[in-house]
Amino acid sequence: MANPLRREVVRLYKNLLYLGREYPQGSTYFRERLKASFMKNKDVTDPEKIKKLVAKGDFVIKELEAMYYLRKYRTLKKRYYDPEK
Amino acid sequence: MQIYKSGVVTDGVKHSMNPFCEIAVEEAVKLKEKKLIKEVVAVSCGPQQAQETIRTALAMGADRGIHVEVTGKDYEHLGPLQVSKIFAALAKKEEAQLVILGKQAIDDDCNQTGQMTAALLDWPQGTFASEVTLEGDKIKVVREIDGGLETIKINTPAVVTADLRLNTPRYATLPNIMKAKKKKIANMKPADLGVDVAPRLEVLKVEEPPQREAGVKVETVEDLVARLKDTGRI
């Protein structure tokens, strides 16, 4: 793999791994799937394809951040703001 | 969760920043990004683990941290009164113009620290803020109150407490945490600020709420009346 892209991919993997600690179904579950999905693409050499996959990974990061925020928001809303029915 | 007679056991439980305080930190960082304030200082009172919370604040964009070390028995009895004394002393020492914190902590649900801090400093307060706008040397605060929204304008320096809808806190991602390692966290004890953290309250007991009993369904109105008579309700 081209050198700067390798750094991007490793950076992406580390960031996703860090985010996966809070995954609702467990960090081990997340880590297994993360590794599997990275391994599935390990033979990709075309830099354009790699950039696309990294962009997809960045998108997943944003999705996870949004999910964590919504989960926290909804818990707080339910606990403090929704009147008991 | 384990509940003992005098409190909830917290050893080995993972702690994180109070969600309302996350919102407060986010608001402070946003104000700095808009270049409306110069510096964001994150403060936490507690044992060693409090430093991790400060690091999260630094990762979100605070410039430096202050860890006021309170451990052991002192920490068990640390409440809003003691914390607000510490905050008031720090605000004076650091010559802060704005103290912003979460409206309440989700472990004790006191909702007192912000208000007490403002009272000790004799500063105006904008509590339950869902919108904060700096207008010159005044602050416009939209507050979430029972009847709806109230808009007030207060002088600076002031205390603001953050409510749920003030903003969407950013996630402290790994690269930001790494960058934040360079930022400084100062260490001090309450005594250094001239604050006495002796407790004023004694916890008598802590219990779980009573189990909710299952409801009973009845077929007819006659049944219902009979049941109510049986249980002595009518």
Side-chain angles (χ1 to χ4, degrees):
Chain A
M1 267 194 276
N3 241 330
L5 283 177
R6 179 184 174 78
R7 204 166 46 223
E8 281 299 301
V9 173
V10 172
R11 171 195 65 89
L12 178 68
Y13 188 84
K14 281 191 191 159
N15 289 344
L16 279 165
L17 200 57
Y18 184 77
L19 270 173
R21 298 167 313 151
E22 281 187 65
Y23 200 68
Q25 277 145 302
S27 60
T28 332
Y29 176 96
F30 183 89
R31 192 176 56 233
E32 285 169 7
R33 271 163 190 66
L34 174 68
K35 184 142 188 221
S37 57
F38 267 66
M39 284 294 129
K40 201 169 61 166
N41 296 314
K42 72 179 161 83
D43 292 320
V44 175
T45 46
D46 175 15
E48 277 312 305
K49 285 215 182 85
I50 294 177
K51 283 201 189 119
K52 271 215 178 85
L53 289 168
V54 168
K56 189 164 140 195
D58 283 331
F59 178 71
V60 170
I61 287 181
K62 288 210 160 58
E63 297 246 280
L64 285 169
E65 288 179 5
M67 175 180 79
Y68 292 157
Y69 167 69
L70 278 174
R71 184 177 57 178
K72 202 173 276 186
Y73 179 88
R74 284 175 182 150
T75 311
L76 288 173
K77 185 159 187 288
K78 206 161 112 186
R79 200 185 291 177
Y80 291 110
Y81 299 90
D82 286 348
E84 197 136 339
K85 297 218 162 70
Chain B
M1 186 180 74
Q2 289 181 52
I3 301 183
Y4 281 60
K5 211 157 65 79
S6 60
V8 178
V9 174
T10 54
D11 290 340
V13 175
K14 180 170 181 291
H15 286 67
S16 58
M17 194 189 300
N18 182 38
F20 293 111
C21 293
E22 280 178 3
I23 299 175
V25 171
E26 173 68 25
E27 194 62 20
V29 172
K30 271 205 168 81
L31 287 173
K32 195 184 79 154
E33 285 170 348
K34 289 188 205 157
K35 302 231 192 321
L36 294 169
I37 60 175
K38 272 196 305 198
E39 191 190 31
V40 178
V41 182
V43 181
S44 190
C45 309
Q48 267 303 102
Q49 297 97 302
Q51 291 213 359
E52 283 179 41
T53 308
I54 300 177
R55 292 241 171 262
T56 308
L58 293 173
M60 284 171 72
D63 299 294
R64 56 187 170 91
I66 298 178
H67 174 211
V68 181
E69 217 176 313
V70 184
T71 52
K73 275 265 171 265
D74 280 343
Y75 182 62
E76 270 175 51
H77 300 127
L78 195 69
L81 179 58
Q82 294 81 5
V83 173
S84 49
K85 283 185 187 169
I86 294 173
F87 283 175
L90 270 174
K92 284 205 198 109
K93 183 165 176 287
E94 297 282 332
E95 291 177 348
Q97 290 296 296
L98 177 61
V99 173
I100 179 165
L101 54 159
K103 67 167 185 174
Q104 69 196 61
I106 62 173
D107 55 6
D108 58 22
D109 281 334
C110 284
N111 197 314
Q112 297 167 350
T113 310
Q115 290 87 335
M116 282 178 171
T117 310
L120 287 167
L121 289 164
D122 201 20
W123 286 5
Q125 54 186 275
T127 53
F128 309 98
S130 67
E131 206 183 300
V132 171
T133 324
L134 265 54
E135 292 179 356
D137 60 347
K138 298 211 199 298
I139 307 180
K140 188 175 87 173
V141 180
V142 178
R143 311 177 53 229
E144 284 194 30
I145 60 175
D146 285 344
L149 296 173
E150 179 194 55
T151 308
I152 60 172
K153 201 178 257 190
I154 54 180
N155 293 327
T156 51
V159 174
V160 169
T161 71
D163 210 324
L164 187 60
R165 283 162 271 266
L166 180 57
N167 58 46
T168 307
R170 64 197 69 189
Y171 197 86
T173 57
L174 188 59
N176 290 335
I177 301 240
M178 289 291 138
K179 274 187 243 162
K181 288 200 167 156
K182 298 193 205 125
K183 299 183 185 176
K184 288 201 164 40
I185 299 182
N187 233 303
M188 57 183 76
K189 298 225 164 51
D192 299 337
L193 297 163
V195 172
D196 158 35
V197 288
R200 300 286 197 278
L201 301 175
E202 181 192 340
V203 174
L204 296 176
K205 61 175 173 177
V206 174
E207 325 173 297
E208 283 187 42
Q211 293 285 6
R212 284 213 3 222
E213 284 171 25
V216 178
K217 277 195 174 148
V218 293
E219 295 295 308
T220 66
V221 175
E222 283 82 17
D223 269 349
L224 177 60
V225 173
R227 288 264 186 175
L228 287 170
K229 279 199 176 137
D230 274 344
T231 54
R233 303 256 187 212
I234 54 171

